[in-house]
Amino acid sequence: MRIPRGELRRSRVVDDAAAVLRAVLDEELTGYVVFEPQDALLLGETTRGVVTFEDGVPVLAYDTEREVGGRDGLEGFAVTGPTRAAVHAVDADALADAHEVEEFRVPPGEPARVLAGDERLAERTTDAAPAARREEGRDRSAVEAFLADADAIEEIRSEAREEARARASEWGLDDVLADDVGDSAAIEPGPDSR
């Protein structure tokens, strides 16, 4: 994948990637941002990530060190602490070929979630995306959010247990159910089963 050299708009060290992502969204940048975690520079590493944008909305992400793109690429340069962010403007036509590489594409709100942990910015970015791209991350992020909600999962399990108990009672199987998950009950054949 080749991204053409763009016009450098600014380069600075930031404490939070959200500020950069918010600025790019607000100015509707078409181009890319190179994120370079400062701890990597101090350790002599070359960790560098690139996120491209079209009208301020992220399109693809690529981790240059690991040569991985998409969400996995984002995670490679999602670090806490100072990061150098170099913002470059590029003509949309010059990015068209790169933006066709499916395995490097990211849902619009994913950089805000992964790099900045900012769900509100992720939603705002998704809302600003073209209609065809808005649903890319919503289904996945809703499922991930649900799976991360241990209380909601336990509530569903509890409701399922209660429903199972109610049905067992309806069918006359109360004595078969164990109250504790670790207990087991043996089913004794009834007089009509022989």
Side-chain angles (χ1 to χ4, degrees), residues 26-76:
D26 290 344
E27 65 194 49
E28 298 181 356
L29 175 85
T30 295
Y32 61 93
V33 176
V34 178
F35 291 95
E36 205 168 357
Q38 294 299 285
D39 64 343
L41 291 176
L42 295 173
L43 298 172
E45 296 173 3
T46 57
T47 301
R48 192 175 291 148
V50 178
V51 178
T52 68
F53 298 83
E54 190 167 323
D55 298 325
V57 177
V59 178
L60 63 82
Y62 186 73
D63 177 346
T64 63
E65 176 72 13
R66 297 181 307 136
E67 297 184 355
V68 177
R71 189 181 202 306
D72 291 340
L74 279 173
E75 290 174 350

Side-chain angles (χ1 to χ4, degrees), residues 4-121:
R5 183 172 303 279
E7 173 195 333
L8 180 64
R9 292 281 178 90
R10 62 190 168 276
S11 178
R12 60 179 60 117
V13 175
V14 297
D15 289 326
D16 183 11
V20 176
L21 296 171
R22 198 173 295 112
V24 166
L25 180 62
D26 290 344
E27 65 194 49
E28 298 181 356
L29 175 85
T30 295
Y32 61 93
V33 176
V34 178
F35 291 95
E36 205 168 357
Q38 294 299 285
D39 64 343
L41 291 176
L42 295 173
L43 298 172
E45 296 173 3
T46 57
T47 301
R48 192 175 291 148
V50 178
V51 178
T52 68
F53 298 83
E54 190 167 323
D55 298 325
V57 177
V59 178
L60 63 82
Y62 186 73
D63 177 346
T64 63
E65 176 72 13
R66 297 181 307 136
E67 297 184 355
V68 177
R71 189 181 202 306
D72 291 340
L74 279 173
E75 290 174 350
F77 56 95
V79 296
T80 57
T83 298
R84 174 167 298 284
V87 179
H88 300 263
V90 177
D91 185 61
D93 292 339
L95 288 173
D97 288 343
H99 284 175
E100 295 300 316
V101 182
E102 278 301 314
E103 63 266 26
F104 296 159
R105 290 179 67 91
V106 291
E110 204 68 6
R113 280 186 196 95
V114 175
L115 298 179
D118 191 330
E119 190 61 37
R120 191 177 286 167
L121 179 58

Side-chain angles (χ1 to χ4, degrees), residues 58 77 141 158 163 189:
F77 56 95
S141 64
S158 179
E163 186 175 331

